[in-house]
Amino acid sequence: MLKWKAIGVSEGLAHAKALIIKEEDLTVVKDTITDVAAEQQRVTDAVEKAQVQIAQLRDEAEKNIGAAEAEIFDAHLLMLDDPDFVEGMTGIIADEKVCAEYACFVNCENFQQMFRAMDDEYMQARAADIGDISKRVLKNLKGIADNAIDAVTEPCILIANDLTPSDTARIGGKPVMGFITRIGGRTSHSAIMARSMGIPAIAGAGDRADDIADGDDLLLDGSTGEVVIAPDAETLADFKTKKAEEEKRREFLATYRDREGATADGRRVVIEGNIGKPDDAVRVAELGGEGVGLFRSEFLFMDRDDLPSEEEQFGAYKKACEAMAGKPVIIRTLDIGGDKEVPALALEKEQNPFLGYRAIRICLNQTDLFLTQLRALLRAAQYGDLRIMFPMISSAEEIRSAKQVLQQAKDLLTAEGVAFNANVKVGIMIEIPVAAICADALAKEVDFFSIGTNDLIQYSCAVDRINEKISYLYRPLHPGVLRLIRMTAKAANENGIEVGVCGEMAGTPGMAPILCGLGVTNLSMSASAMLAAKADLADHTFAECQAFAEQLLAAPSATAAEELFAGWRK
């Protein structure tokens, strides 16, 4: 038996066999061959297999998301049907007497170069499609499974270097009991999605993950970050007891499902859910969420080689609104940059990406991209209480510029005779310290605030939140951070607008009463944390929440505040 700890990022207990997700090796070597016909047949077989795979993906996309999403796969199938594309590979094999893998690699480079040289912007963008289908053909040639997660049929705990948002999304419906990643922390995207899906998870395992072999019996505690490899009988018995206690706790929390978020004396705090895709809204509704406080629309743009069309975005936003049946759905406009990449935009690498070209800065610079999203949002707003939120705002000028583009989207839809809801509430993320300091002025420009504590803490404490070496400096309870939250809440309250917290701080056990005491009116979190937040609030009066918040604000250091919080939680 071996036991160690990493970072618990998604609560829950899991017991299953380990499944190691290995990094794909797509390295190509220029091997010479003698049997040209056999190597050309390998290309034909790999292409035919790719066609079957893509056709299946197209059907799944059309069924689960919509016809607009499936269009990209139709384009991929057309490319694979193009004789020039296939003959490019077979010709290289015949002319140079090289292996199919190398021919696939060279053919991809040739076609991408040709598309990039074209004057038409649409055709230039097709270079990414060539790369995607070539990668699929190459994986088939090398015998690499399309995605190991897709092949999961037995209960397991995944072990990976990291999981992309699309990897994590693939887990839905699979018997994946939990996962462990070598890198990342509580604010990594895989961790955020794990909490949304209610899957126990541990991050930041580093080299300790090498202790785990495929098929090992594992115990995982997503709360404490503890991993047990090959547990003995006594440890298994303790785990079963713990699991039974967890189930009892879940049954208790379920009694809060249909209750409003409020303190013991009735001070209302609206409890909402964070989502990354429309289907997540269903889980928020099922667990008693009073709305969606944050729809991370960038997840529609990530892990793909093209940009979602207006129709695809409209369908996704409409679906979320319908799932919430009239309850508020706050959709954050495209928030990329920093640690979030969108391949289709091909953004330049920056030395300080978190301080660089990201979020609203990109949208105000690439207004066509912004307009497409805003048009889709306005159209979807007919189907529920959809609200638009701009991220990374640092000034009133940015708010006004964003609202001008929003007005432009309204004017275009009106001119085209397209139906939409013109009376959409507009809010901003408060995640830059200067925005919190100037919140009194910004409150006059918008209908609501939502405090993004992940970035607010990062910028306030000058700590990269995904850098494991300095993670100890990332302190949500730093009195300086709490003062910025109170300053923002005070400005919102005085101007009669709602103020929420949608960062991970909102769903941290025991934090809801503190944020309530600081003046926050709405809390949005992973769906799995909502019931516990309601229970935490119901345990305290508003006066108790305020009194303890004042103690934390007066603490001389983050360490002192954390010690106070630990005592409060007992």
Side-chain angles (χ1 to χ4, degrees), residues 502-550:
C502 63
E504 292 308 306
M505 197 170 170
T508 301
M511 201 64 75
I514 295 165
L515 294 170
C516 169
L518 291 171
V520 172
T521 60
N522 297 57
L523 295 173
S524 189
M525 62 201 69
S526 299
S528 58
M530 294 187 305
L531 296 177
K534 288 183 181 181
D536 275 346
L537 282 166
D539 269 350
H540 305 280
T541 64
F542 182 48
E544 289 171 347
C545 296
Q546 287 181 306
F548 187 61
E550 288 299 324

Side-chain angles (χ1 to χ4, degrees), residues 103-404:
C104 178
F105 170 76
V106 172
N107 188 61
C108 174
E109 290 286 307
N110 291 342
F111 269 81
Q112 284 190 317
Q113 189 173 358
M114 178 181 71
F115 276 102
R116 289 182 184 127
M118 294 181 180
D119 293 330
D120 185 83
E121 189 176 330
Y122 175 82
M123 296 307 292
Q124 289 173 356
R126 301 288 65 78
D129 294 330
I130 290 293
D132 192 47
I133 61 176
S134 295
K135 181 179 177 182
R136 184 174 293 279
V137 172
L138 183 57
K139 284 170 69 174
N140 289 339
L141 287 168
K142 293 172 74 72
I144 297 172
D146 189 30
N147 190 296
I149 296 172
D150 290 338
V152 170
T153 56
E154 299 293 328
C156 65
I157 294 174
L158 301 180
I159 318 298
N161 184 57
D162 194 15
L163 294 171
T164 66
S166 61
D167 286 334
T168 314
R170 287 176 186 268
I171 291 172
K174 299 287 183 182
V176 174
M177 313 310 291
F179 66 77
I180 300 167
T181 59
R182 288 180 172 80
I183 64 173
R186 272 195 66 83
T187 57
S188 60
H189 300 301
S190 56
I192 290 169
M193 291 189 74
R195 288 191 291 276
S196 294
M197 299 166 75
I199 297 172
I202 289 172
D207 293 341
R208 287 166 295 192
D210 294 336
D211 296 330
I212 304 171
D214 218 26
D216 275 350
D217 195 28
L218 291 184
L219 300 181
L220 178 158
D221 187 332
S223 301
T224 64
E226 187 173 85
V227 174
V228 182
I229 304 167
D232 58 24
E234 183 181 353
T235 304
L236 276 172
D238 290 343
F239 180 84
K240 286 180 181 177
T241 300
K242 213 171 169 185
K243 187 83 171 169
E245 290 171 354
E246 181 190 61
E247 187 55 40
K248 203 171 180 182
R249 167 77 174 162
R250 288 191 182 194
E251 289 174 6
F252 164 71
L253 291 178
T255 63
Y256 285 87
R257 191 179 311 249
D258 299 321
R259 292 169 60 173
E260 292 183 334
T263 60
D265 55 342
R267 171 79 174 194
R268 278 285 280 131
V269 179
V270 179
I271 303 297
E272 300 168 312
N274 293 341
I275 68 172
K277 58 185 191 299
D279 290 341
D280 295 341
V282 176
R283 179 168 166 77
V284 170
E286 288 174 348
L287 290 177
E290 300 180 75
V292 169
L294 172 63
F295 183 156
R296 301 181 181 92
S297 70
E298 59 272 14
F299 282 172
L300 299 176
F301 293 72
M302 295 165 67
D303 292 314
R304 55 190 292 170
D305 294 317
D306 64 329
L307 294 173
S309 65
E310 180 182 324
E311 284 304 314
E312 180 185 339
Q313 291 187 63
F314 163 68
Y317 306 146
K318 175 176 178 278
K319 188 174 182 181
C321 287
E322 290 174 336
M324 293 312 299
K327 293 177 180 176
V329 176
I330 297 176
I331 301 181
R332 178 173 69 190
T333 57
L334 185 58
D335 184 11
I336 57 167
D339 59 335
K340 291 175 283 192
E341 297 182 359
V342 171
L345 290 178
L347 299 176
E348 292 181 11
K349 296 290 183 182
E350 297 179 307
Q351 282 189 316
N352 295 300
F354 281 105
L355 302 178
Y357 185 57
R358 58 174 297 200
I360 197 66
R361 300 166 184 179
I362 293 174
C363 289
L364 291 178
N365 181 256
Q366 301 189 34
T367 51
D368 286 349
L369 175 73
F370 199 22
L371 273 171
T372 298
Q373 180 169 38
L374 293 174
R375 286 171 56 104
L377 288 166
L378 289 167
R379 291 171 56 200
Q382 302 173 90
Y383 300 90
D385 184 6
L386 185 152
R387 305 174 185 187
I388 297 173
M389 180 163 66
F390 303 130
M392 278 291 288
I393 293 294
S394 61
S395 68
E397 287 79 12
E398 283 178 327
I399 299 173
R400 291 169 193 154
S401 294
K403 289 198 289 190
Q404 283 177 359

Side-chain angles (χ1 to χ4, degrees), residues 37-58:
E39 213 64 18
Q40 289 176 328
Q41 185 61 47
R42 287 185 64 218
V43 165
T44 302
D45 293 343
V47 167
E48 289 177 353
K49 185 174 181 180
Q51 288 172 321
V52 171
Q53 293 166 335
I54 292 171
Q56 289 175 341
L57 283 172
R58 179 198 58 197

